[in-house]
Amino acid sequence: MRLVLFGPPGAGKGTQAQRLVAEHKIPQISTGDILRAAIKAGSALGTKAKGFMDQGKLVPDDVVIGIIEERTQQPDCATGFMLDGFPRTIPQAEALDAMLAKRQQRVDHVLSLEVDDAVLVKRLSRRRTCPVCGTIYHLDFSPPRQENTCDRDGATLAHRSDDQEAAIQERLRVFHDQTAPLKAYYQQRGLLRAVDGSGAPDAVYQGIRTVLAR
Ligand code: ADP
Ligand code: ADP
């Protein structure tokens, strides 16, 4: 199964991806995670991406398309994968369709998590993540048992540099401007599966299971 997890920043794509990975045993491919790892490693890719990311802007299409082209050809993607945060523009979606068509493959479902902007701001500004295992927390909605410490491995939780007010506002603007048009793109192709993302994480996951079973 080849899935696209679609939704604005803070909609819960990463949170739901962790549940989908556990159930479907397909890898989660997050362009945001790959770019953040490149920044941490100090690679040329990271250097190129950092300025865009800190400002809440999109990294250029050719950069993320190259990442996806390479990553989806790894052996663990043979039976499927889940794209989290890609595509984010129409040219990215077109490139994805073209690269899959060359391999006689296609996207099966686009899960669109629907959440209002006011809720997104609350979610993003209080998000924390474990730099070691990637577990996603929220200081109010899913706090760690011990302050600022990962429940699984005891690491100190990180606050993303783009989860600050100014960058959050810019990311939402960019989403509405450049990414939201993808809904019509996938609707026209009969692939869009809208899910209410405003409930608690388990309720949202039930919604995902329901649309995938249809
Ligand atoms: P995305 O990957 O779409 O940016 P995340 O999965 O990282 O979103 O979630 C953003 C923040 O909102 C995190 O702090 C997460 O714990 C929290 N969150 C995710 N889903 C829900 C939900 N259904 N209800 C409340 N908070 C949520
Ligand atoms: P979010 O939690 O906002 O959904 P991500 O981790 O998916 O965040 O993305 C963080 C940042 O990485 C984005 O604001 C953007 O700068 C960059 N990025 C990630 N994926 C893409 C993409 N497909 N196209 C362009 N830029 C991307």
Side-chain angles (χ1 to χ4, degrees):
M1 182 164 62
R2 292 178 199 88
L3 284 181
V4 170
L5 267 174
F6 178 83
K13 300 182 296 296
T15 300
Q16 298 302 326
Q18 292 178 346
R19 290 168 162 76
L20 283 158
V21 164
E23 181 167 351
H24 295 277
K25 316 273 184 263
I26 49 175
Q28 169 199 10
I29 303 176
S30 159
T31 37
D33 285 349
I34 292 170
L35 292 167
R36 278 185 292 277
I39 292 175
K40 214 169 166 184
S43 70
L45 170 65
T47 308
K48 187 161 184 189
K50 189 173 179 352
F52 295 102
M53 292 173 75
D54 281 345
Q55 288 176 55
K57 310 252 187 243
L58 293 183
V59 171
D61 285 338
D62 58 328
V63 174
V64 285
I65 289 167
I67 291 174
I68 292 296
E69 174 109 53
E70 198 187 303
R71 180 64 185 89
T72 55
Q73 292 188 76
Q74 301 299 313
D76 63 336
C77 293
T79 58
F81 51 76
M82 184 179 5
L83 300 181
D84 163 5
F86 181 96
R88 265 174 150 96
T89 64
I90 299 277
Q92 290 179 24
E94 289 171 346
L96 175 64
D97 285 346
M99 79 177 75
L100 292 179
K102 264 196 256 162
R103 304 175 202 158
Q104 278 86 45
Q105 295 174 349
R106 59 186 207 94
V107 169
D108 298 306
H109 306 278
V110 176
L111 292 170
S112 172
L113 295 177
E114 314 273 329
V115 181
D116 289 342
D117 280 11
V119 176
L120 297 173
V121 174
K122 284 197 190 116
R123 287 188 183 177
L124 291 169
S125 55
R126 308 265 290 162
R127 168 163 63 185
R128 297 293 185 271
T129 44
C130 174
V132 175
C133 69
T135 300
I136 302 165
Y137 295 90
H138 188 281
L139 296 184
D140 311 305
F141 308 140
S142 48
R145 283 193 294 272
Q146 204 184 324
E147 202 180 330
N148 228 24
T149 306
C150 181
D151 293 347
R152 295 195 185 170
D153 51 36
T156 300
L157 301 182
H159 185 187
R160 272 170 52 175
S161 56
D162 60 346
D163 279 346
Q164 318 278 351
E165 183 66 25
I168 289 174
Q169 291 303 339
E170 179 61 10
R171 283 154 67 208
L172 293 178
R173 193 193 64 73
V174 167
F175 174 80
H176 290 295
D177 193 38
Q178 294 179 260
T179 307
L182 284 177
K183 278 179 79 170
Y185 179 94
Y186 284 120
Q187 182 97 55
Q188 282 158 13
R189 286 158 180 75
L191 296 177
L192 195 76
R193 323 273 182 250
V195 175
D196 178 3
S198 63
D202 286 342
V204 176
Y205 193 60
Q206 279 313 313
I208 289 176
R209 293 181 96 174
T210 305
V211 297
L212 288 182
R214 250 180 227 150

